[in-house]
Amino acid sequence: MHNLRGFAIVLVIVAHSISALSTANDIALLRSALTNATVLFVVISGYFFSLLESRYSYYSYLVNKFKNVVFPYLFLSLPAALLYVMDLKQNHPWIDMSSFSQLGYVYKYLYLIGTGAHLGPLWFIPMIVLFFFTFPILRKIKKTRLLYIIFLLSLFMSYNVGRPELNNQVFQSFVYFLPAYLFGMILQKNEVLVSELATLSILLLPVFCIFTLFIYYFYGYNSSIDNLLKLVLSLLTFAFFHEKLNFDFKPLSFLAGISFYLYFVHGYFISLLRILLKEYSVGLPEIIIMMLVFICVITTSALSYFILRKVFYKRRRFFLGSDY
């Protein structure tokens, strides 16, 4: 499953790379397919929670998550937060900047940290922190059949509320991604389901991918329907990796090892490239530009990790979210 985590962060960065383009008309279908790639990331989070929860008490679990997720988030996102706190950046997709600018420095910072609004991908962190706080509830229901009942109820709620269009509602995001997290727990608890699908996944995964593309092409993107599609794709992807990539594949293993760091920082490089692409016209097909953006972002993000790893060395897990 380590390789799968690396693959998930690749999908997330590819999806965000499209946002660097001023237009994405020629790759609209690809954008629809990747828009909700975070579902797989959340399924994997639920899987690893279920796998490792017995090692922790509630207190030790929260301490662990503060050290490995929350503090690196606070540290690595500080430059982005300061741009808004110091009024150096005046535009935002969904914050009312005229009202925001009237707030004191502390209130500005707390608002940004609580919503992840200071850098595109960071909405995910306040949302996943809500899952951390539900540790005792999730631990208890994991051991009973309530897990399956609550999973079905969460699917119903998720379908009805949908994903917030601008990722600007933390609690709505939590409700939307709850079935993905619970599904990861179910997969860990019933690993025989993954193993039984392993051989068939080689055929089923590409077939279902084509099916989802037809859905996007004829009906467009709908976050409620897409969540259901992505859960099935997650199951088949789990099975495929169990069958074909259940070994130490160095590139994906490396990306998995620094996956949270990549999540924290790749938004900086995408933002920079978005500015450059608006400033300078590039006469290339959109798919080529998107691929070049992805290569540039993942390369520079990884290189920045190696540089910062030398700076923080033994404390790199605490500051960077990885001890690779």
Side-chain angles (χ1 to χ4, degrees), residues 9 11 21 27 34 44 60 63 80 101 105 123 125 127 204 230 243 248 258 260 269 280 314:
I9 193 63
L11 287 183
L21 281 66
I27 53 173
L34 292 172
I44 294 169
S60 65
V63 170
S101 62
Y105 293 149
W123 64 267
I125 307 302
M127 186 271 292
L204 292 177
K230 289 297 195 303
E243 175 71 11
D248 184 18
I258 63 169
F260 265 107
F269 299 103
Y280 302 100
K314 292 183 179 180

Side-chain angles (χ1 to χ4, degrees), residues 223-240:
S223 67
S224 296
I225 294 173
D226 188 66
N227 200 19
L228 301 175
L229 295 172
K230 289 297 195 303
L231 289 177
V232 177
L233 282 170
S234 295
L235 170 61
L236 296 175
T237 305
F238 264 71
F240 179 81

Side-chain angles (χ1 to χ4, degrees), residues 233-274:
L233 282 170
S234 295
L235 170 61
L236 296 175
T237 305
F238 264 71
F240 179 81
F241 271 70
H242 182 276
E243 175 71 11
K244 289 297 183 182
L245 284 165
N246 193 18
F247 59 90
D248 184 18
F249 183 56
K250 294 296 183 182
L252 289 180
S253 180
F254 165 67
L255 294 175
I258 63 169
S259 58
F260 265 107
Y261 174 81
L262 292 175
Y263 202 100
F264 293 138
V265 304
H266 77 276
Y268 286 110
F269 299 103
I270 285 176
S271 297
L272 177 61
L273 287 170
R274 184 186 296 117

